[in-house]
Amino acid sequence: RRVHGGAGKFAPTMFRLTCTRQTGLTNLFLSRQCPHKCLVRVNRRCFSNSIVFDRQVKCMQRSQAARSPHARDFDYLKDEVADHIVSRLELISSNYSFPIAVDVGCGSGHFLRQLCVHPGIERLTICDSSKEMLYRDDLSQIAKDAGIELERLVCDEEALPFEPASVDLVVSCLSLHWCNNILGTLSQIRKILKPNGVFVGAVLGADTLHELRVAMALAEQEREGGVGIHVSPMLTPPDVGNLLSQAGFNIPTVDIDRITYHYSDMFVLMRHLQGMGENNASIHRRQYCKLPTLVAANAVYDHMFGTNVAEDDQSDNHVRVVPATFEIIHMIGWGPHDSQQKPLSRGSATFSLKDIDNSNMFEVTETSLNKKQ
């Protein structure tokens, strides 16, 4: 649990909880007197051939974040998610080895820094669209201590330059949600995986920053008569499962983790998002926002979601903070292989489901088990 009071300043107490979604407030319609061309209704991410994000702007945002002298202070979210990815990978690696691995959208090497006990990885290629972010930190000593041959590659996540069936493991930590053609990216990942290779990734979900979305929507509705796009459209868990299946992965697995950090106010949260390189890059985003609207949004944020917390475990002093929830959607998909589990063929059942009722359910089950024995 952590309270963020400003760039590089962390209080010793950290707060982590699950926030409930404020239903009825996130889906706001435009006022008829909306004066802005870019004010549209924001609901969920749709998938088509249209361009949703400005990839060039996103690359510039990430490069700008990497050049900041305090860039390492804003890695806490991606470091924590990378640690969760490594935890899932360690459970898989007990039965499998992955000598050749690729980290897609690696950032500054969050996955490599958390890879204390690596699952037999011999060579790791980390790639990112931002050269400044990719070469921000010196990772050679970390890779040497882990016994991993490290290679860096500047490339777009939507155009992976790897040969088909050449990689045992692909990981991605909070990067793929900025892809316009995310289905195409997942299909490329599946193609470069060897048979029985595994993909382990994490993206931001649709409930991410719902507090900020609600506060900005209410403030703009009051001050300007419309609702603008300030939080990029994200994925939902059913979307991720469908995308994995459409991309050709076997045994797709999806689970959700909600992480909540606390900040002193909305403006500190925005500075941290900019430091992470996670600020808005939507094509239809507003290029500016009026100061009265921002002040009103900060007041709404504090009124609806603010709380008083103790500065530390031994102190009776309390400070006012506001929460920011990040919904992390973890995904696992396997490259097709003959040894993997497969559903039974149609018509192979030994009894019909219509024969099961409350009276003879256990009798039918026991009879079927005896037949198998």
Side-chain angles (χ1 to χ4, degrees):
R1 298 177 176 177
R2 181 179 297 127
V3 175
H4 299 285
K9 300 178 181 179
F10 305 107
T13 305
M14 170 182 164
F15 298 87
R16 175 172 177 153
L17 50 92
T18 301
C19 290
T20 58
R21 183 173 183 179
Q22 303 296 318
T23 58
L25 293 178
T26 54
N27 296 331
L28 297 179
F29 292 90
L30 280 174
S31 170
R32 294 182 180 179
Q33 299 177 355
C34 173
H36 302 286
K37 295 181 179 179
C38 61
L39 298 187
V40 296
R41 181 186 176 187
V42 182
N43 191 353
R44 56 171 291 187
R45 175 85 179 266
C46 60
F47 304 98
S48 63
N49 294 328
S50 62
I51 303 299
V52 180
F53 303 112
D54 192 329
R55 297 284 298 169
Q56 184 177 1
V57 169
K58 175 48 60 181
C59 185
M60 293 172 57
Q61 292 173 350
R62 293 171 60 83
S63 299
Q64 183 181 5
R67 289 192 293 266
S68 171
H70 304 288
R72 191 68 184 93
D73 297 332
F74 303 105
D75 288 346
Y76 52 89
L77 174 62
K78 294 185 178 180
D79 284 345
E80 183 170 356
V81 175
D83 181 67
H84 295 174
I85 292 177
V86 172
S87 299
R88 287 164 170 77
L89 200 56
E90 288 177 353
L91 297 176
I92 299 174
S93 63
S94 58
N95 299 321
Y96 301 90
S97 61
F98 309 104
I100 302 177
V102 173
D103 186 359
V104 178
C106 64
S108 58
H110 310 281
F111 173 73
L112 178 60
R113 281 198 292 264
Q114 303 298 323
L115 204 60
C116 300
V117 183
H118 62 88
I121 294 179
E122 301 176 1
R123 188 179 68 186
L124 175 63
T125 302
I126 58 176
C127 52
D128 198 275
S129 58
S130 170
K131 183 177 181 180
E132 288 82 357
M133 184 66 75
L134 181 64
Y135 289 93
R136 193 195 75 180
D137 298 336
D138 185 10
L139 304 173
S140 57
Q141 187 61 41
I142 299 177
K144 183 178 179 181
D145 295 339
I148 299 176
E149 179 185 351
L150 181 64
E151 180 184 0
R152 307 194 198 205
L153 182 64
V154 180
C155 68
D156 193 344
E157 293 88 345
E158 295 185 346
L160 300 177
F162 300 99
E163 295 294 331
S166 61
V167 179
D168 300 290
L169 167 68
V170 178
V171 298
S172 180
C173 178
L174 298 186
S175 174
L176 298 185
H177 53 269
W178 293 115
C179 293
N180 288 311
N181 186 11
I182 187 170
L183 177 58
T185 302
L186 291 175
S187 298
Q188 292 182 58
I189 292 175
R190 195 264 304 164
K191 290 178 181 179
I192 68 176
L193 280 176
K194 295 180 180 179
N196 214 31
V198 64
F199 164 64
V200 183
V203 296
L204 292 178
D207 279 349
T208 298
L209 298 177
H210 68 266
E211 303 95 342
L212 178 62
R213 185 185 296 113
V214 169
M216 291 298 300
L218 293 178
E220 283 185 317
Q221 189 77 4
E222 177 193 1
R223 297 302 177 94
E224 303 182 35
V227 180
I229 297 179
H230 297 280
V231 179
S232 299
M234 299 294 177
L235 301 168
T236 63
D239 292 334
V240 175
N242 293 335
L243 288 170
L244 288 175
S245 299
Q246 293 179 31
F249 287 99
N250 283 355
I251 322 176
T253 305
V254 178
D255 64 284
I256 306 173
D257 185 21
R258 287 183 175 87
I259 305 175
T260 299
Y261 296 101
H262 284 76
Y263 304 84
S264 57
D265 55 44
M266 185 189 73
F267 300 106
V268 174
L269 167 61
M270 290 181 172
R271 286 197 297 269
H272 278 245
L273 292 175
Q274 186 176 12
M276 298 176 191
E278 292 295 323
N279 35 339
N280 193 2
S282 175
I283 288 290
H284 299 291
R285 68 191 182 281
R286 292 189 62 181
Q287 300 297 328
Y288 68 94
C289 190
K290 297 180 180 179
L291 180 59
T293 303
L294 292 175
V295 173
N298 185 54
V300 172
Y301 205 137
D302 181 80
H303 177 74
M304 295 187 62
F305 305 103
T307 183
N308 295 320
V309 296
E311 291 183 352
D312 52 59
D313 296 335
Q314 290 77 27
S315 175
D316 294 333
N317 298 327
H318 288 75
V319 294
R320 187 72 174 176
V321 295
V322 294
T325 303
F326 296 88
E327 183 185 50
I328 313 300
I329 303 178
H330 294 274
M331 66 185 88
I332 300 176
W334 293 82
H337 191 263
D338 295 336
S339 64
Q340 294 172 356
Q341 299 175 357
K342 296 179 179 63
L344 296 177
S345 59
R346 292 175 63 95
S348 60
T350 57
F351 58 89
S352 176
L353 292 177
K354 67 180 181 180
D355 297 331
I356 300 177
D357 55 26
N358 294 330
S359 61
N360 61 356
M361 178 176 62
F362 297 102
E363 180 181 354
V364 173
T365 304
E366 184 178 358
T367 303
S368 62
L369 290 176
N370 294 333
K371 289 182 179 180
K372 290 183 180 180
Q373 292 176 355

